[in-house]
Each structure stands twice: as structure tokens, then as C-alpha cells.
Amino acid sequence: MNSILNITSTLVLLSVITKANQVIVTSPVKKNVVFEVVLEEGVSSKPFLVVYEKGINPYGLSNTTKTEIQPKFNTGNAYTFELKDQSKPLYFSLLLTGYLMDVTIAREFHFEPGDHIKITVRKTDVPNIYDLDFSGRASGKYRCQNEFLYAVETDTVKVSPEFTKDNQYHKDNQSFRYTNLLYDLIEKYQPEMSDYSYHLLHTDVLGSIGKYIFSDLQVKLFDQLSKKDTAGFKALAKSFSDKYKLDFVSNIPDGVLCDSKEYALFLIEKIRTMVLIDFATVNYPIVYERIKKVNNTVLRDKMIITLFKCYGDRFHDDYGTILFDARSVVKTKEFKEILKSL
């Protein structure tokens, strides 16, 4: 399959990237997950896992978001981890114990119930940097995620920045190129992964890079406001609105959008940016009201909680009013519990 990204028109058209066959979400039947971590010569630190049981919540959406998993047993330099009775995909990180601090060697990969993966860890010439090799059943998604970082770091093609000096959005920019590189990797490994992983990797890439672009745009817009350059503000907003068109929900399962570690905050940044463009300020009651219109209930609830955790200190006098309303709006049990503690 050819690359999904059409960098001449949009960042991503998920209606295009979705495969023609119906999406098959991972079965809820409980299955064990096994990782065998083999440390090659020169790697002596003991490995351990961190499993994010409620998803990746970088802003502390819950006090019990991660669990440290020690190896079940080891034979020499081979350490075996077993996660019993897994009923859904989750994110995890692989770390090595360190004298002063632990070293993360695989950050926020996702697994699926039934995975049985061998991870070979090799030392490099760079301190705390290791080469990883993944093999075994369902290892395609791991090799794909492992190559993401290298694809970006080793890319030497020079392209234009996202925003020009004359307040224009340049659509053929570095972020488009990186997105294209990562989407090509997903296509490369698509025959070796489930439909769930295929969609989740796309959603994570979109969320990560899209979040960066919207955050960068906000900085540029606020800069125009600080200089009282109304014409420059409007020119930049119009250029971006004209050239950056997104369709990111078509044919992507709601569950994947909710599970993604990047997507909820990405949508919040998009909404914040649109409110800034519409009102020349970020009015948080309006941001909140727009989030409430998200049709995907679980995603909406996750966004509301994330909004409180990321920007609650900016609600000022509206905090109590928004919190009171949110406690009646949020329906997802785990997020309702978090709201009670706010």
C-alpha cells in the first residue's frame, strides 16, 4: 500500500488510511502477555516493566495509572515477564535499573492480549542508548514503534518550517515530512499487525505531531497579539485555516480514539486554537462547551478530565462553575471518580 499522507493537501485523511475491510478490534477474551528480555554482552542492569493500566496520562489523570512489573524469573541474562489475564491493549515501557536513575529503553509501546515477544537488548557506543530487536508472535507493531525514533532522527532532508516569517502557514513543512515517514513505516509493517494496532499507531502519530503544530501556532498567534498586530494575527489565522484541513475521525473506531495516548490532548489543543482564532483569547468556558459537543462519550469525558488537569489553574473564577457542570456531564465511571477528587 502506498503512503497514506498527501502532503500537498492535508495532514491526514483517516477516511483514506482506513483499510477497506471492517475493523477487527482485539477480542476481550483474557490472554496472557509474555516478554522475554535478553541482555547481550555489556548490559548488566536488571530490566523491569511499567504498565500503564489506565492509559498514558502524562498529567496525572489518576493516582493509580501505572504498575511496576518485575521479571517472573530469569535464566542467566534472559528475563521473563508474564502479564496474566490481559483483556485489552495497554501501553508499557521497558526500563533498566540504574545507580542514580533508571533508564527507559522502550517508551510507551503498546501490547495486545496474547502477545509473546522476545526483546534483545544490545549496548551501543552511546551511554544509556541501546539497540533493541523484537521477534515473536505479533512483533511487527513493536518493530514499527521502535523504528519511529530512528526514522525522525536520521532524516536529513531539509524542508520549510511550519510557519514563515510573513505570517503564513507552509503546508509542505517538516511536520508533514515526519508524518509521512512514520505513516510509511506503519504501512511497511501493516501485514504483521492487527487492525487495532494499525489504527492506534496512526492515531498516535496524528495526535503527537498535530498537537505540536497547534501548540506552535498558538505561540505565533499570541506573539501577534502581544505586538498588537491585528493584521498579522488575522493573516496567520486565515493562512492556517485555509491550508490545514483535517478529517480525523472517519472510519476510526471510537475505542481506538479513546485509547490513544495522544489524541485527547491533541483535540483539546485544536479546540483551544480555534477559540483563540475566533475570540483573540482563550476563553475556557467556551473551550469546555465545545468539548462537551464531542459525540464520542468516553473520549469527551477523557478530554474534560484532561482539560482540568492541564488547564484548570487558568479557569480562574469559572473553575467552580465548570466543575459543577462537569460532574453532571461526565458519565464514564473512572473519570467521574477523578472529578470527585478535584
Side-chain angles (χ1 to χ4, degrees):
M1 187 180 294
N2 294 328
S3 170
I4 300 160
L5 182 65
N6 179 358
I7 61 176
T8 63
S9 57
T10 64
L11 173 63
V12 61
L13 293 173
L14 292 188
S15 57
V16 175
I17 69 173
T18 305
K19 292 183 291 183
N21 56 304
Q22 184 176 1
V23 173
I24 302 174
V25 180
T26 304
S27 170
V29 175
K30 293 183 177 181
K31 298 179 181 179
N32 294 348
V33 173
V34 176
F35 294 108
E36 181 186 1
V37 180
V38 178
L39 308 180
E40 294 211 336
E41 185 178 356
V43 184
S44 57
S45 300
K46 181 181 176 181
F48 66 97
L49 303 179
V50 170
V51 176
Y52 304 91
E53 297 181 350
K54 295 183 182 298
I56 300 294
N57 298 319
Y59 294 92
L61 304 193
S62 170
N63 294 325
T64 57
T65 58
K66 59 185 180 181
T67 302
E68 188 174 303
I69 307 294
Q70 297 297 330
K72 182 178 181 181
F73 61 85
N74 73 288
T75 303
N77 64 341
Y79 296 80
T80 299
F81 299 84
E82 185 175 26
L83 308 177
K84 286 188 172 294
D85 298 330
Q86 300 300 302
S87 61
K88 62 181 181 179
L90 292 173
Y91 290 99
F92 78 100
S93 293
L94 173 63
L95 299 91
L96 296 177
T97 55
Y99 177 69
L100 295 177
M101 61 183 300
D102 300 325
V103 179
T104 303
I105 59 176
R107 186 181 300 277
E108 299 174 1
F109 286 21
H110 77 270
F111 65 75
E112 294 174 274
D115 285 358
H116 194 133
I117 306 297
K118 178 180 178 181
I119 308 174
T120 303
V121 182
R122 300 184 180 91
K123 190 176 181 181
T124 70
D125 295 333
V126 182
N128 295 330
I129 300 296
Y130 299 86
D131 282 334
L132 304 180
D133 179 70
F134 296 85
S135 59
R137 184 171 68 244
S139 62
K141 62 177 173 288
Y142 297 92
R143 298 200 303 278
C144 181
Q145 294 173 89
N146 192 46
E147 287 188 33
F148 276 3
L149 183 61
Y150 296 101
V152 172
E153 288 189 341
T154 60
D155 181 48
T156 58
V157 175
K158 302 296 182 183
V159 296
S160 301
E162 285 78 11
F163 300 97
T164 65
K165 293 181 179 179
D166 58 345
N167 296 319
Q168 294 292 304
Y169 174 71
H170 196 286
K171 62 184 179 181
D172 297 327
N173 57 56
Q174 189 72 66
S175 293
F176 273 99
R177 176 164 176 80
Y178 287 165
T179 305
N180 204 25
L181 289 173
L182 301 186
Y183 276 12
D184 282 347
L185 277 176
I186 298 172
E187 293 304 312
K188 172 185 173 182
Y189 286 102
Q190 180 270 326
E192 303 178 54
M193 67 176 73
S194 68
D195 288 343
Y196 178 92
S197 289
Y198 179 80
H199 288 294
L200 183 63
L201 291 176
H202 278 108
T203 306
D204 280 351
V205 169
L206 166 64
S208 177
I209 296 181
K211 181 176 59 181
Y212 163 77
I213 292 175
F214 279 110
S215 296
D216 195 25
L217 174 60
Q218 290 172 30
V219 171
K220 300 292 190 298
L221 290 169
F222 277 120
D223 182 58
Q224 299 303 310
L225 290 174
S226 69
K227 294 186 295 187
K228 301 187 185 305
D229 186 354
T230 303
F233 178 92
K234 291 181 177 179
L236 178 56
K238 185 177 187 308
S239 173
F240 185 82
S241 299
D242 288 346
K243 298 175 183 176
Y244 189 86
K245 301 185 183 303
L246 301 168
D247 172 15
F248 28 60
V249 295
S250 299
N251 301 316
I252 296 298
D254 282 354
V256 174
L257 300 178
C258 297
D259 289 347
S260 171
K261 63 183 180 181
E262 306 286 356
Y263 193 72
L265 188 54
F266 159 63
L267 281 188
I268 289 173
E269 293 309 312
K270 176 180 181 292
I271 290 173
R272 289 181 72 243
T273 304
M274 295 302 104
V275 170
L276 175 60
I277 289 173
D278 291 344
F279 298 97
T281 186
V282 181
N283 181 301
Y284 282 94
I286 295 176
V287 172
Y288 171 69
E289 289 299 323
R290 292 188 180 185
I291 289 175
K292 284 170 60 177
K293 295 178 181 178
V294 173
N295 291 326
N296 182 332
T297 301
V298 178
L299 178 61
R300 178 205 65 194
D301 291 353
K302 183 178 181 180
M303 290 173 65
I304 290 174
I305 297 298
T306 304
L307 182 70
F308 271 94
K309 289 293 186 178
C310 294
Y311 298 110
D313 59 343
R314 303 188 193 182
F315 292 178
H316 302 303
D317 293 342
D318 296 306
Y319 187 96
T321 302
I322 297 176
L323 179 60
F324 180 81
D325 186 74
R327 285 174 173 165
S328 65
V329 170
V330 171
K331 305 301 180 185
T332 309
K333 182 178 179 180
E334 65 177 284
F335 297 131
K336 286 181 73 71
E337 291 300 315
I338 295 171
L339 273 180
K340 291 179 181 179
S341 65
L342 297 180

